[in-house]
Amino acid sequence: MSNRPIYLDCHATTPVDERVLAAMIPYFTENFGNPASNNHVYGWEAEAAVRQTREILAAAINATPEEIVFTSGATEANNLAIKGVAETYFSKGQHIITVATEHSAVLDPCKYLKTLGFEITILPVQQDGLIDLTELEKALRPETILVSVMAANNEIGVLQPLEKIGEICRDRQILFHTDAAQAIGKIPLDVQGMNIDLLSMTAHKIYGPKGIGALYVRRRNPRVQIAPQMHGGGHERGMRSGTLYTPQIVGFGKAVEIALVEQAKENQRLMELRQRLWLQLSSLGGVNLNGDPTQRLAGNLNISVEGVDGAALSLGLQPVMAVSSGSACTSANTSPSHVLTALGHSPQLAYASVRFGIGRFNTPEEIDKVAQQAISTIESLRKQTTLV
Ligand SMILES: *Cc1c(COP(=O)(O)O)cnc(C)c1O
């Protein structure tokens, strides 16, 4: 085990925290009931556990438990939000606004809606990865029904100005959806204060299990309606049918609970680790930080390295660290990252980029080892290039 590379890819996924696993285990065997069975104690127990997670998630974003719809993850939550709104409100308007740096789980549902006749505006970002609010205002039309802007970017960690976006949308009575897969548990979120109408979450980026997520759907001021994308027994108030996956839901609740309790202290620790890594790497020169230096997730460092080949860099780092390179993170796709090209990077520089996702179980010693290896790899690649 100790010979495996150091895991620094926490934006892709995270290990399940032991405390989360311990909370989940009884719900596979003893407490296996179906939360929808309301005639016996097996069902009641499961329903109580599900209810508890609903309360934890709602409290985490200042919503009510009735506004939480469980899904299989953030991909499904995004699909349900975007297609669900499009289907319900199409007679009101058929224009949707999103951003070039969104996750494919937002961009692809939008592309799909385009084939059905919807108009999609994809806003550019500034060099720091943030959207320009005046560009957003200019893009709004009378027939705009939805604005979808992510809370925290999964590649460059940039935090978009949710409160200001929410204000702009609310003034014009346009629904605002945010993909908060990378944000829940890591930064403060408040659907009231930020005027968010729909918010997507997932458990596996915060030390919870894979395969479980949720969508917040506002019930009041205004009441948001979404067409279900999964029909069946009418679970989740008709918005998402299918037997609830109780063990995963219990794990999701526990993961969020822990993340919130530890948030302030953990963010401080992660920021120190990130700074420790950045100070060493940037001493090289020709190493550039991608994304705003302060408006970003504490555990995210994304760099572009000048004067090296992206594939060679990736190969050189692999034995020591598990990180992500600047190619698109979708499987079997080797085009340059759409996020880095949206920042204005050439494909070459986008390829020669590395995303470090520092997490709960990383130590200063690991950071130093990673920094040393990265520095020696970059130096030797640069030497080879000058020899040629
Ligand atoms: C991971 C991620 C998703 C996908 O979430 P799943 O739960 O894996 O479906 C969507 N959006 C962002 C920003 C992500 O980081």
Side-chain angles (χ1 to χ4, degrees):
M1 286 289 274
S2 60
N3 281 335
R4 294 170 85 201
I6 295 164
Y7 191 79
L8 279 174
D9 204 11
C10 288
H11 301 300
T13 195
T14 55
V16 172
D17 190 297
E18 297 282 354
R19 296 168 287 181
V20 169
L21 181 63
M24 290 171 66
I25 283 176
Y27 290 90
F28 286 102
T29 50
E30 278 155 63
N31 307 338
F32 62 87
N34 186 331
S37 303
N38 49 22
N39 293 312
H40 49 69
V41 67
Y42 298 89
W44 302 333
E45 279 168 1
E47 167 54 23
V50 167
R51 171 84 197 173
Q52 197 187 353
T53 293
R54 257 190 236 289
E55 285 169 4
I56 293 168
L57 296 184
I61 59 171
N62 194 19
T64 62
E66 291 69 34
E67 295 175 309
I68 302 297
V69 175
F70 288 110
T71 65
S72 62
T75 299
E76 189 190 334
N78 288 341
N79 272 267
L80 179 56
I82 295 166
K83 295 183 202 163
V85 163
E87 218 179 304
T88 305
Y89 295 91
F90 76 96
S91 56
K92 192 173 167 230
Q94 302 185 13
H95 178 234
I96 293 173
I97 299 173
T98 186
V99 183
T101 51
E102 292 292 311
H103 193 275
S104 55
V106 164
L107 291 173
D108 286 3
C110 288
K111 273 185 213 158
Y112 169 72
L113 289 172
K114 203 171 166 194
T115 69
L116 301 184
F118 285 83
E119 277 190 88
I120 313 293
T121 297
I122 298 181
L123 293 175
V125 293
Q126 305 170 115
Q127 250 182 6
D128 57 9
L130 292 162
I131 65 163
D132 179 342
L133 293 167
T134 56
E135 291 282 327
L136 170 63
E137 286 190 303
K138 273 194 266 171
L140 296 168
R141 306 182 199 163
E143 62 272 22
T144 308
I145 52 172
L146 180 69
V147 170
S148 181
V149 181
M150 73 200 321
N153 187 272
N154 49 296
E155 290 191 35
I156 55 176
V158 159
L159 310 177
Q160 297 290 357
L162 298 184
E163 194 175 341
K164 294 198 179 112
I165 298 167
E167 210 177 290
I168 291 169
C169 293
R170 184 56 54 91
D171 278 351
R172 294 161 180 80
Q173 298 185 330
I174 295 166
L175 296 178
F176 173 32
H177 166 249
T178 189
D179 175 353
Q182 296 285 349
I184 180 85
K186 297 178 189 163
I187 59 166
L189 291 168
D190 178 347
V191 295
Q192 302 308 336
M194 296 169 167
N195 286 310
I196 295 165
D197 299 306
L198 298 132
L199 181 148
S200 303
M201 305 171 240
T202 191
H204 76 99
K205 311 278 172 77
I206 46 164
Y207 315 93
K210 295 169 185 60
I212 189 71
L215 178 66
Y216 153 76
V217 184
R218 178 179 287 279
R219 294 236 296 179
R220 298 175 51 159
N221 307 318
R223 181 183 184 87
V224 177
Q225 285 182 296
I226 50 168
Q229 303 300 305
M230 188 80 80
H231 299 88
H235 307 77
E236 301 299 88
R237 283 146 288 128
M239 284 180 267
R240 203 282 191 178
S241 286
T243 300
L244 291 175
Y245 194 177
T246 314
Q248 308 301 95
I249 290 172
V250 168
F252 192 5
K254 190 72 186 171
V256 170
E257 193 177 81
I258 294 169
L260 290 181
V261 169
E262 299 181 353
Q263 190 180 85
K265 219 173 141 206
E266 177 65 357
N267 277 345
Q268 186 57 36
R269 195 187 72 89
L270 291 174
M271 239 177 303
E272 283 164 22
L273 291 180
R274 179 181 76 198
Q275 191 61 6
R276 192 180 181 107
L277 182 56
W278 172 239
L279 281 177
Q280 295 180 67
L281 296 177
S282 59
S283 71
L284 265 179
V287 175
N288 307 312
L289 178 69
N290 292 317
D292 191 276
T294 55
Q295 287 296 104
R296 68 191 299 138
L297 292 170
N300 176 280
L301 185 71
N302 191 309
I303 57 163
S304 291
V305 184
E306 292 168 16
V308 301
D309 172 63
L313 176 63
S314 185
L315 267 176
L317 301 180
Q318 246 171 44
V320 173
M321 65 198 84
V323 290
S324 227
S325 72
S327 49
C329 61
T330 48
S331 46
N333 189 338
T334 51
S335 54
S337 150
H338 71 283
V339 174
L340 298 175
T341 49
L343 298 184
H345 288 358
S346 66
Q348 247 147 326
L349 194 59
Y351 280 126
S353 300
V354 185
R355 174 185 73 180
F356 299 93
I358 311 167
R360 186 175 288 169
F361 304 110
N362 291 121
T363 63
E365 293 70 37
E366 287 180 331
I367 295 297
D368 290 346
K369 194 172 165 197
V370 160
Q372 279 157 26
Q373 175 66 20
I375 287 168
S376 68
T377 303
I378 293 166
E379 279 178 334
S380 78
L381 287 175
R382 281 180 177 166
K383 226 174 272 165
Q384 285 167 27
T385 331
T386 42
L387 285 179
V388 176

